Amino acid sequence: MNTDPIKSFTVDEAKRKLEYYCSYQERCHYEVVEKLRGMNMIPQVVDTIVVHLIENNFLNEERFAQSFARGKHNIKKWGKVRIVNELKFRNISKYNIEKALKEIPQEIYLNTFHETAQKHWDSIKETNLQKKKKKFCDYLLRKGFESHLIFEKLNDLSEN
C-alpha cells in the first residue's frame, strides 16, 4: 500500500501549475479537469480554475481542436475518421470538430492519403494478394481514413 502523503496545493499554486500546463501545449477542458482531479482539488476549485484559464486564454477548446487536427494529420498522418473519434473522446463539441476539420485542406488531405497508402502498399511483404489487401485496408482504417478512399486506392493498386 502506498503510504506517501498526498501532496496538496493551494488554489494559487494549482492555478500557476495549470497555466504552465496549458501554455506549453494546447489542452482541452477534459485534460485540464483530469489533471486537477489528479491534484485532489475539490470540484468548486476545479470550476474556478477552469474559468480562470478560459478567461485568460490559456484554455480554448476551439483552438485545441484545430491544433489537434492539424498536428495529428501532419505528423501522425491520421485520417478524418480517427481525428473526429479522438476529439469526440475528449468531449469536443460538434461545432469545434467541424471547425477543426476545416484546418486540413482537401488537396493536402488527399495527397497525404495517397502517399501513406502507396508507401504502406509497397512495404507489405505478403505474397498472398488477399492477405496483402487485408493488411492494407486494416492499416488505413486504423489510421482513420474513409473506407471509400481506401477501396478506390486498393482497386488502383491491385490493378497494377
Side-chain angles (χ1 to χ4, degrees):
M1 193 167 104
N2 189 353
T3 56
D4 294 337
I6 296 171
K7 173 127 174 68
S8 61
F9 297 89
T10 66
V11 174
D12 283 341
E13 285 173 335
K15 249 185 219 177
R16 278 195 305 279
K17 201 169 175 64
L18 269 292
E19 284 175 355
Y20 176 72
Y21 181 68
C22 293
S23 65
Y24 71 84
Q25 181 182 324
E26 290 294 344
R27 305 287 178 181
C28 64
H29 292 52
Y30 176 78
E31 291 168 326
V32 168
V33 169
E34 287 303 302
K35 178 88 169 162
L36 287 164
R37 285 188 184 140
M39 293 167 68
N40 296 310
M41 304 308 280
I42 61 171
Q44 294 90 324
V45 173
V46 169
D47 293 344
T48 303
I49 293 174
V50 168
V51 167
H52 166 78
L53 294 170
I54 293 168
E55 286 173 347
N56 291 283
N57 211 19
F58 285 100
L59 189 58
N60 180 320
E61 204 102 291
E62 181 179 320
R63 197 175 60 211
F64 166 80
Q66 291 172 327
S67 170
F68 183 91
R70 274 192 315 271
K72 295 303 181 190
H73 179 72
N74 295 337
I75 296 162
K76 291 201 171 189
K77 310 295 183 215
W78 283 4
K80 290 180 180 178
V81 174
R82 174 111 186 239
I83 291 169
V84 167
N85 289 337
E86 293 286 337
L87 288 171
K88 280 181 182 173
F89 173 74
R90 288 167 175 78
N91 299 321
I92 305 299
S93 70
K94 188 174 174 16
Y95 171 81
N96 284 334
I97 291 173
E98 287 168 7
K99 282 206 75 154
L101 292 178
K102 289 179 182 155
E103 289 292 301
I104 309 167
Q106 188 65 8
E107 187 181 334
I108 291 172
Y109 182 75
L110 292 173
N111 284 343
T112 302
F113 167 73
H114 289 298
E115 283 172 20
T116 305
Q118 186 66 56
K119 199 170 174 182
H120 190 65
W121 180 261
D122 295 342
S123 75
I124 302 171
K125 301 294 179 227
E126 183 62 60
T127 52
N128 178 322
L129 188 59
Q130 283 311 110
K131 287 182 180 175
K132 183 172 182 168
K133 286 179 177 182
K134 182 177 181 351
K135 285 182 178 184
F136 176 80
C137 291
D138 289 349
Y139 175 79
L140 291 171
L141 286 169
R142 264 195 319 279
K143 281 279 196 186
F145 288 103
E146 297 87 334
S147 51
H148 71 275
L149 288 175
I150 297 170
F151 296 123
E152 284 171 22
K153 188 71 175 176
L154 185 61
N155 287 335
D156 292 348
L157 291 169
S158 53
E159 286 171 6
N160 295 339

